[in-house]
Amino acid sequence: MTLRIARKRIVSRGDIPGSDGGVYNPGAVATGEGIVLLARREIDYRFTSIVHPEIIVVDPDNLEVISRRTLLRRGYPAGSRAEDFRLLHHGGQLIAVHTLVHPDGRIRPMIAAVGERTLEPWDALELPIETMPVEKNWVLFDVDGVLHCLYRLDPLTIFARERGAWRLVRRSDNGWSSEFRGMLSNSANLVPFGDGHLGFWHSIVDGRYVQGAMTLTRDLEIGTTTGVLLDGRDASPGQKPGVLYVSALVVRDGRVLAFYGEGDAHCGVASIDATALAEKLARHPFAIRE
C-alpha cells in the first residue's frame, strides 16, 4: 500500500532579504510559539563564512510562516561557517547539532545552544573514536534525560553523553549498507515514536537523494525500516537538482512532519499520517543482513 504524503513549500530562495543563496535544511521543534525552524540562510552561492542561522516560526496547523529572526553567532572560530542545524529540546534548553566548516577545510559536527537571539557553542562533540577530516550527519536523541548521538547506521554506532563526556554504548554490524550502491546516512534528529524513536535515513541514487524512515528501539537497536518515501526526482529546480534532504522531524496532531531542504534553495515539509506510517513500519521489522 502506498503511503500518502502531502508536500508544502514553506520558504523559497529570495523570500527573505539576503537569501539569494537559498534558505534550506531546517531543524525543527514544536514550542509554545509554534513550530520553530532553524534554517541555513545563504546570501549567495559562494559559500563563504557569511552564512546566517535563520529562525522561522510556522503555524502548527496550516504551516504558514508567522515570524522570523536572524540569530547572532557568538564564540565561533574566525572564518568558520555553521551549516545544517538539527534542533532538540534537552535538559530544559534548546540545542542544535550542526556542521562546522573550519578555515583549514576540516568539517565536523558540534552542538550549539540556541538562545532567543544568539547561537553559541555548547559541546564540541568529541567522540572517543578516530574520525575523518570530513564528517557530517551525526544526529541526536534523548533517552530518559540522557543525550545520545547516533553516529552511524551501519555499523550501528551510538554514544551517550555522561558528565560532559561521550561514551560508546552501541556498536554492531548489521549489513544494512550492503543494500545501497552509495552511502547510507542519518537525516534528522530522532524523535519519540511508539515505544522507541523515529528517524529518517538517506542515500544518493543516480545523483539524487532518496529518503526513508526507520525506528530505534529502547534497547538501541534498529527496529523497523521503510523503503524510499521521498525521492529527489520530485524536487523542484534549485541550485542542486535532485536534492530533497530531510533535516527535521516533528510528530504533532497525528502527523509526522518531515521538514526538508530542496535543491539547496528552499524549505519545505512533507506531512505523513502518523498511524499509517507506524503501520507501514510495523510490516517491515529490521533483520540483520549477511
Side-chain angles (χ1 to χ4, degrees):
M1 183 178 69
T2 302
L3 195 66
R4 296 182 61 183
I5 301 176
R7 291 174 48 206
K8 176 183 176 67
R9 175 72 55 79
I10 295 175
V11 176
S12 298
R13 181 176 70 89
D15 283 353
I16 297 173
S19 65
D20 288 346
V23 185
Y24 52 98
N25 296 0
V29 292
T31 73
E33 62 177 326
I35 297 178
V36 172
L37 312 184
L38 181 53
R40 167 181 170 187
R41 173 168 65 84
E42 299 274 5
I43 61 171
D44 52 36
Y45 283 113
R46 293 178 298 164
F47 299 110
T48 66
S49 59
I50 307 174
V51 55
H52 300 283
E54 192 77 12
I55 291 282
I56 302 166
V57 183
V58 301
D59 185 288
D61 297 320
N62 57 28
L63 302 175
E64 296 290 336
V65 175
I66 298 172
S67 65
R68 66 170 186 84
R69 59 187 182 273
T70 302
L71 298 183
L72 175 66
R73 294 196 330 165
R74 289 180 176 170
Y76 283 84
S80 64
R81 53 181 281 117
E83 301 179 348
D84 302 345
F85 311 96
R86 294 170 167 96
L87 294 175
L88 185 75
H89 287 297
H90 171 70
Q93 65 178 331
L94 185 58
I95 60 175
V97 58
H98 68 79
T99 302
L100 188 69
V101 182
H102 295 263
D104 62 4
R106 288 180 299 119
I107 301 175
R108 59 170 293 118
M110 60 165 288
I111 303 176
V114 182
E116 178 67 21
R117 295 288 177 179
T118 58
L119 186 77
E120 301 181 78
W122 184 76
D123 186 290
L125 247 181
E126 296 291 348
L127 302 180
I129 57 171
E130 184 177 354
T131 56
M132 302 294 289
V134 176
E135 293 269 8
K136 296 185 176 183
N137 301 315
W138 302 1
V139 299
L140 304 178
F141 60 103
D142 190 292
V143 178
D144 299 328
V146 177
L147 188 62
H148 288 66
C149 173
L150 174 54
Y151 171 74
R152 185 173 292 172
L153 291 169
D154 183 22
L156 181 64
T157 310
I158 300 173
F159 298 86
R161 186 177 189 267
E162 299 171 345
R163 300 181 182 88
W166 292 91
R167 179 175 66 88
L168 180 67
V169 294
R170 173 71 66 191
R171 190 184 189 281
S172 57
D173 293 298
N174 54 46
W176 190 9
S177 59
S178 65
E179 297 183 358
F180 298 85
R181 284 180 285 168
M183 52 74 175
L184 169 65
S185 294
N186 300 305
S187 291
N189 283 346
L190 278 63
V191 295
F193 192 75
D195 293 329
H197 284 79
L198 174 70
F200 261 54
W201 59 264
H202 73 267
S203 189
I204 298 176
V205 176
D206 298 329
R208 69 185 194 276
Y209 279 65
V210 295
Q211 313 267 339
M214 49 80 64
T215 60
L216 199 68
T217 69
R218 287 194 62 84
D219 294 328
L220 303 184
E221 296 286 359
I222 297 175
T224 57
T225 63
T226 71
V228 174
L229 299 180
L230 294 167
D231 194 317
R233 68 159 60 95
D234 302 321
S236 299
Q239 171 71 5
K240 291 186 178 180
V243 174
L244 200 161
Y245 180 76
V246 172
S247 48
L249 299 172
V250 173
V251 181
R252 184 183 174 94
D253 297 332
R255 298 177 296 171
V256 174
L257 302 174
F259 294 88
Y260 56 80
E262 195 170 14
D264 277 9
H266 323 296
C267 281
V269 61
S271 181
I272 309 169
D273 181 88
T275 300
L277 178 58
E279 291 173 350
K280 186 175 184 69
L281 283 161
R283 290 194 295 271
H284 299 280
F286 184 78
I288 293 176
R289 282 68 162 165
E290 292 297 330

